[in-house]
Amino acid sequence: TSIDTATVARLVPKWTYHSGVVGTFQATPIVVDGVMYVVTARQKIVALDATNGKVKWTFDSGIGTGNPTRGLAYWSDGRERRLFASVASYLYAIDAETGSSISSFGDQGKIDLRANLRGAPEDNVFAATTPPVVYKDLLIVGGRVAETTPASPGDERAYDVRTGAMRWRYRCRQSVPTMKI
């Protein structure tokens, strides 16, 4: 209530965070319990104290591509607090308190999103540029595939938030309508 048309011109920044990373920043930060979680332009995840901008921890997958990552997903059951970050073709589970990878999730803390599509994972092209959707105990994942043939399937998939096991898949079947002229 203290900010209105008469007072808005007097607002000044309280703090600023500089990641030190060159690149295009496209992510929306999230704030949970006084901690701001940010994805840098090189896919590092940073936890900041939301009141003063001081770094609490940084998670670095080691991949650091130039592909956009537009944010994080958050999940908690009241005991555990997890972040989920898409980096290139992988989905990482990160402990929201410590910034450590959760090794019991997927394969040592990550899921290869090229798997469970068609053939060997390394033969597929799949990039997750947006965070998964959290619904109850599921992570629903979509992504980007190649735009030329033969492209990997763009199946929507759901994974268990605790184990990373795939729970379901929606196979997109595109039919091209025929036109009579």
Side-chain angles (χ1 to χ4, degrees), residues 29-100:
I30 59 174
V31 178
V32 180
D33 295 331
V35 179
M36 178 181 282
Y37 301 100
V38 179
V39 181
T40 71
R42 300 294 284 172
Q43 289 81 33
K44 291 183 181 179
I45 290 67
V46 181
L48 305 167
D49 183 317
T51 60
N52 59 28
K54 294 198 185 314
V55 175
K56 296 172 80 61
W57 54 255
T58 300
F59 173 83
D60 185 356
S61 69
I63 296 175
T65 72
N67 291 332
T69 298
R70 295 184 175 97
L72 301 159
Y74 175 84
W75 171 87
S76 177
D77 64 359
R79 292 183 315 272
E80 286 186 83
R81 298 170 10 134
R82 294 182 176 198
L83 295 168
F84 296 94
S86 303
V87 179
S89 300
Y90 298 95
L91 178 64
Y92 288 85
I94 303 161
D95 184 307
E97 284 294 316
T98 66
S100 301

